Amino acid sequence: MDLYVERGEDMQLVVNNITKSFGEKEVLHGVSFTVESGRAMGFLGRNGAGKSTTIRCLMDVFHPDSGNFLLDGSPFKPRSLKIGYLPEERGMYQKNGVLAQLTYFAMLRGASMADAAASANHWIDYFGLGEYKNKKLETLSKGNQQKIQIAQSFLNEPNILILDEPFSGLDPVNAQIFQNAINEFVKEGRLVIFSSHQMSYVEEVCDDVTLIHNGDILLSGDLDLIKLEEGRDKLFLSVLSGDTAWEKALSNAFPALGIIPGDDGLILDTKGRVSQGDIMRWLNEERLTVRRFGLYEPSLNDIFIKKAGD
Amino acid sequence: MRDFLTVFRYELKTQLTKRTAIVTTVILMLVVLVITSLPRFISLFDTGELINETSGIVGDAGYVLPGGAIENAGYVLPGGGTDALLAPIAGDDPAVLFEDRDALTQALRDKDIQVGFVIQENLDYEAIYLDRSLQDSLDTQMAAILTQLKKQQLIEQMGITPEGFAAVEAAQAVGITTVLGRNSVDNYAISFILMFVVYMMVLLYGNSVSTIIAREKDSRTMEILITSTRPSSLILGKVAAAGLSAVIQFGAVVLVTVAGYQFNKHLYPEMVTAMLSGTLTTSYVLSYVFFSFFGFILYLFLYAALGSTVSKMEDLGSATALVQFLFIFGYLIATFAANMPSSAVAVIGSIVPFTSIMVMPLRSAVMTVPWGELILAGALMVLFVMFFAFLSIKIYRWGSLNYGNKTKISRIVKEALRSH
């Protein structure tokens, strides 16, 4: 078993040019990205984009047709590493006891019986389900079953956590508990990847994002830098005015300016040819009441829709 | 090995602590205890009245005549029942005597009596029923009574003393039968019982293994399992656990059966004890243990593989139908082989592993099987177990990736062997 976190070592997972076909249809066309430990990576994409297939290839559920996965330069072998995995289609033994099966899963991932039981107890308690330890899974509510399924991915305190749509179906309170657990793992220097549709959670939790669309990676990297890049040469302007005549005037004053309607204001694309000061001066001359004017920082949702929207 | 043991322990504990398994085992143990103790229960309620009723009457010649023993019978006797020889047949009740056949028939139609006998001067008879069930043998009883009376008549007519006739009847030749190989008569019953144990174990635990795996797939637990450990550890651990739990549960039932039989053995009819105390030779026991064990494991792997091929629990029955059919076919061949152990069908059936599980032990019980056939069958069995263990691991792995439409078994095997 690897001891990266115990030794305080950093990890780097490289996903290198993965292709995968089902029958005649190629669903992954050379997927590549990099994930660093100590930083949560959000893996984003629309339904059918290739997120789960990529994760299943990573977890050796599917074998890629070409490409490879490298952990610090060596082949990534999930069964010989301390990995927590939450599949998209999650399921556990409905008719078995909660503690017994979590202990079993922990043992299958290499823990001794005592350590497995301790870890299972810890995570059941963490998610506030201590009273259900000896109950059959089928007797728990759907929400509590989901928490147990999430708890199984944290067993044995894995160095690498791979979660496929983990927030799906969680209520806000449980989502917050789960988010805290992920944040703790990231702080401890573990490597965390999770796929999601829910941009708000990704924005709150992730340091890095990778966006996949129709089997191609559209962007990948530091979320703040991506936002900065997507907002480059763009300004946001919101004016208190009863009509839109000023927008026409602005366009006439700065013909090089691209004007894009946004939420509650305009996104101004300066294309590097119009300065923020020139626009500020024009606003003063026109005696317009400015509600908000500054650099434009797109939300992850905006970036997602822009990149992955058809 | 470590993961195999983890899977094995978990599956074994799950199987043995399942409420249905415990209840079924306890019920089976109670049932066999009651069955094996039946002679004791019968003896407890046996007051001996029946013996007195059927002890009959002693004729002039000193022979026991079971006269008056047939209950609910009516009679038409020659001379209206005045013949001293025939009078005891009707017993003391004049209501069972009828004037003629019509009166007897009417009594039958009115359901006053269950059976009627019209007896001739020469002691031939006609038995008349209104309805006759499969178990009715009242006419046979009457035939025995009248035969005795006829013999009595003849003894008296020929002036033979009762002692002399008894000596003639008792005379018989004493013979000794020596069987150099197997005596089918000795081993027939016990080998059939043991074969039935294997039959039940395969059907019950084979279905249990396929259900466990199909449920794992249906509930999507499989993806967590195969990303945690190797499919070989999972399949081998599950099959070993199912095998051992079968041995434990059936062992408990067999122990109770043996204990019940031994405890009540002295109360069993001699014919039954003779059937059950067949000579279990070492070679038969070895053949039974080897072929039953490996055959059982072979079928468990087949059931495990088929359990991996279905996406929904409701498809499991149709998926396992083929192997059920194959196994029942083996049972039929074994039944045939018990009567014709040297026939070509029996020989082939005892060599092919899918059927040799039952056919070879049964042949070994009733005949001396040539060593060549035993070695060939044993080697094929081991090879088949290894191949199907390998195949079931591949199919399990294939199954974890394939959900949805039903696929032909030939295509599944091809894809499973091609992938990974």
Side-chain angles (χ1 to χ4, degrees):
Chain A
M1 279 290 162
D2 54 313
L3 298 165
Y4 289 96
V5 174
E6 289 81 348
R7 290 198 297 254
E9 292 175 5
D10 289 338
M11 288 175 277
Q12 187 189 53
L13 173 68
V14 176
V15 177
N16 189 22
N17 208 22
I18 301 297
T19 62
K20 177 71 186 170
S21 300
F22 293 111
E24 298 297 308
K25 190 180 180 194
E26 189 175 83
V27 293
L28 298 180
H29 320 294
V31 167
S32 297
F33 57 89
T34 301
V35 192
E36 307 279 345
S37 58
R39 299 174 66 80
M41 202 281 276
F43 193 39
L44 314 177
R46 295 176 62 179
N47 291 333
K51 300 187 298 293
S52 293
T53 304
T54 306
I55 286 177
R56 282 177 166 162
C57 286
L58 176 64
M59 289 304 296
D60 196 30
V61 176
F62 294 153
H63 279 228
D65 299 331
S66 65
N68 55 14
F69 299 96
L70 300 172
L71 184 69
D72 295 332
S74 302
F76 181 80
K77 294 176 181 169
R79 287 181 199 88
S80 60
L81 296 163
K82 277 180 80 173
I83 294 187
Y85 174 50
L86 180 70
E88 183 191 17
E89 295 186 76
R90 51 196 84 147
M92 286 168 62
Y93 295 112
Q94 288 292 315
K95 296 193 178 295
N96 293 17
V98 167
L99 178 63
Q101 60 180 309
L102 287 185
T103 305
Y104 172 55
F105 292 140
M107 287 177 74
L108 284 181
R109 289 176 205 157
S112 67
M113 192 181 278
D115 289 347
S119 181
N121 271 304
H122 168 75
W123 287 107
I124 291 171
D125 291 337
Y126 185 93
F127 285 101
L129 298 171
E131 62 187 294
Y132 302 110
K133 277 177 193 171
N134 296 314
K135 302 267 185 202
K136 285 182 182 176
L137 187 65
E138 65 183 359
T139 64
L140 274 63
S141 68
K142 200 179 169 193
N144 285 340
Q145 286 194 28
Q146 279 187 323
K147 285 200 274 183
I148 292 295
Q149 285 153 354
I150 288 170
Q152 75 76 24
S153 60
F154 285 87
L155 292 169
N156 285 4
E157 287 63 43
N159 292 332
I160 299 169
L161 195 56
I162 297 168
L163 311 162
D164 202 353
E165 298 287 353
F167 290 103
S168 159
L170 279 185
D171 65 53
V173 175
N174 287 323
Q176 187 58 54
I177 296 170
F178 178 43
Q179 208 173 308
N180 293 342
I182 293 177
N183 286 335
E184 279 175 36
F185 263 49
V186 173
K187 269 186 206 161
E188 288 166 2
R190 300 175 203 270
L191 193 150
V192 178
I193 303 173
F194 70 87
S195 73
S196 186
H197 289 115
Q198 286 145 298
M199 298 302 145
S200 57
Y201 289 123
V202 177
E203 214 154 10
E204 279 181 54
V205 176
C206 292
D207 306 293
D208 299 323
V209 292
T210 295
L211 177 58
I212 186 169
H213 186 59
N214 291 337
D216 290 307
I217 299 296
L218 298 184
L219 58 85
S220 183
D222 184 304
L223 179 57
D224 291 336
L225 291 177
I226 288 172
K227 282 184 175 179
L228 207 62
E229 181 61 32
E230 290 300 314
R232 183 190 292 271
D233 294 336
K234 290 191 182 73
L235 300 168
F236 183 83
L237 174 61
S238 175
V239 169
L240 279 175
S241 172
D243 57 41
T244 56
W246 66 273
E247 291 178 18
K248 181 102 176 134
L250 177 68
S251 178
N252 290 336
F254 302 100
L257 198 65
I259 299 176
I260 307 151
D263 289 340
D264 232 8
L266 299 177
I267 298 161
L268 309 177
D269 187 356
T270 64
K271 295 164 188 155
R273 286 188 277 172
V274 181
S275 75
Q276 193 173 353
D278 290 343
I279 297 171
M280 183 68 91
R281 270 191 293 282
W282 181 83
L283 289 167
N284 281 334
E285 285 165 11
E286 295 295 317
R287 298 185 180 281
L288 290 165
T289 309
V290 175
R291 191 162 58 185
R292 201 179 133 207
F293 181 56
L295 294 173
Y296 169 67
E297 187 182 84
S299 69
L300 187 56
N301 201 49
D302 293 334
I303 297 170
F304 183 85
I305 291 170
K306 182 186 163 195
K307 298 282 183 186
D310 288 327
Chain B
M1 190 62 186
R2 185 188 173 282
D3 285 356
F4 162 77
L5 288 174
T6 303
V7 176
F8 172 73
R9 271 197 297 264
Y10 182 77
E11 294 290 345
L12 185 64
K13 192 178 171 193
T14 304
Q15 293 228 15
L16 291 179
T17 53
K18 233 189 269 175
R19 193 178 297 166
T20 49
I22 295 170
V23 171
T24 310
T25 309
V26 170
I27 289 174
L28 273 175
M29 287 162 75
L30 287 174
V31 167
V32 296
L33 190 63
V34 169
I35 291 172
T36 51
S37 303
L38 271 180
R40 184 168 294 276
F41 295 133
I42 291 167
S43 72
L44 285 177
F45 295 105
D46 188 357
T47 58
E49 283 171 17
L50 189 63
I51 295 166
N52 291 337
E53 275 180 13
T54 56
S55 61
I57 48 176
V58 181
D60 293 343
Y63 296 99
V64 175
L65 303 176
I70 301 175
E71 286 183 17
N72 299 322
Y75 305 90
V76 177
L77 299 177
T82 52
D83 188 331
L85 184 70
L86 291 171
I89 288 177
D92 301 330
D93 185 4
V96 299
L97 284 174
F98 295 87
E99 278 186 18
D100 52 27
R101 191 178 187 281
D102 291 342
L104 185 73
T105 310
Q106 190 55 49
L108 276 166
R109 291 191 198 288
D110 295 341
K111 300 195 174 168
D112 293 334
I113 54 174
Q114 191 186 345
V115 60
F117 295 103
V118 180
I119 299 171
Q120 314 295 329
E121 291 281 354
N122 63 358
L123 298 181
D124 288 343
Y125 72 98
E126 179 193 7
I128 308 170
Y129 290 91
L130 184 62
D131 297 304
R132 190 182 186 202
S133 72
L134 277 174
Q135 285 78 31
D136 271 344
S137 59
L138 300 175
D139 51 335
T140 316
Q141 287 181 39
M142 179 51 73
I145 293 168
L146 294 175
T147 304
Q148 287 286 66
L149 289 177
K150 270 195 170 184
K151 283 180 181 176
Q152 187 184 338
Q153 268 185 340
L154 277 171
I155 288 166
E156 284 167 4
Q157 284 167 14
M158 297 172 80
I160 303 169
T161 62
E163 292 77 18
F165 185 75
V168 171
E169 272 206 322
Q172 64 179 91
V174 176
I176 297 170
T177 306
T178 304
V179 180
L180 296 174
R182 303 279 193 279
N183 189 346
S184 303
V185 179
D186 284 350
N187 300 331
Y188 195 83
I190 193 77
S191 55
F192 248 96
I193 291 170
L194 289 173
M195 184 184 77
F196 192 68
V197 170
V198 172
Y199 180 82
M200 293 303 292
M201 279 173 69
V202 168
L203 286 186
L204 287 175
Y205 288 88
N207 275 311
S208 170
V209 167
S210 59
T211 304
I212 287 168
I213 291 174
R215 190 168 285 145
E216 229 163 53
K217 195 174 167 188
D218 190 34
S219 69
R220 314 278 167 161
T221 316
M222 219 180 212
E223 194 165 336
I224 293 176
L225 293 173
I226 59 158
T227 52
S228 303
T229 188
R230 290 185 302 276
S232 56
S233 301
L234 292 164
I235 280 286
L236 296 176
K238 284 172 202 298
V239 165
L244 186 61
S245 65
V247 169
I248 290 171
Q249 285 171 341
F250 265 80
V253 175
V254 169
L255 269 180
V256 171
T257 310
V258 171
Y261 172 68
Q262 288 296 338
F263 187 61
N264 301 297
K265 195 175 177 182
H266 61 287
L267 297 168
Y268 275 66
E270 207 174 309
M271 187 186 74
V272 176
T273 47
M275 272 172 61
L276 294 177
S277 60
T279 322
L280 294 182
T281 59
T282 310
S283 58
Y284 167 71
V285 172
L286 286 176
S287 167
Y288 178 78
V289 170
F290 179 87
F291 286 97
S292 300
F293 173 75
F294 281 102
F296 179 48
I297 298 293
L298 173 66
Y299 272 99
L300 288 185
F301 279 127
L302 282 173
Y303 275 103
L306 292 169
S308 322
T309 63
V310 299
S311 300
K312 293 181 217 145
M313 285 302 292
E314 54 264 37
D315 295 334
L316 187 60
S318 56
T320 55
L322 180 71
V323 71
Q324 309 248 40
F325 174 77
L326 190 64
F327 186 63
I328 291 167
F329 180 65
Y331 179 80
L332 294 175
I333 292 183
T335 313
F336 174 79
N339 296 312
M340 299 181 72
S342 299
S343 63
V345 172
V347 172
I348 294 168
S350 66
I351 289 172
V352 176
F354 299 119
T355 49
S356 67
I357 174 177
M358 286 180 288
V359 182
M360 184 57 93
L362 210 65
R363 279 187 77 211
S364 302
V366 297
M367 69 172 281
T368 304
V369 181
W371 275 106
E373 288 176 21
L374 274 171
I375 290 167
L376 177 63
L380 271 179
M381 178 63 94
V382 172
L383 282 175
F384 267 59
V385 168
M386 287 165 68
F387 174 72
F388 279 95
F390 168 78
L391 187 63
S392 69
I393 292 165
K394 292 284 178 191
I395 291 178
Y396 181 82
R397 187 69 175 83
W398 175 92
S400 66
L401 313 177
N402 288 276
Y403 285 87
N405 295 337
K406 285 183 191 172
T407 313
K408 278 184 182 173
I409 192 76
S410 54
R411 195 174 148 201
I412 291 172
V413 172
K414 208 182 288 176
E415 287 184 10
L417 290 174
R418 198 173 51 207
S419 63
H420 307 288

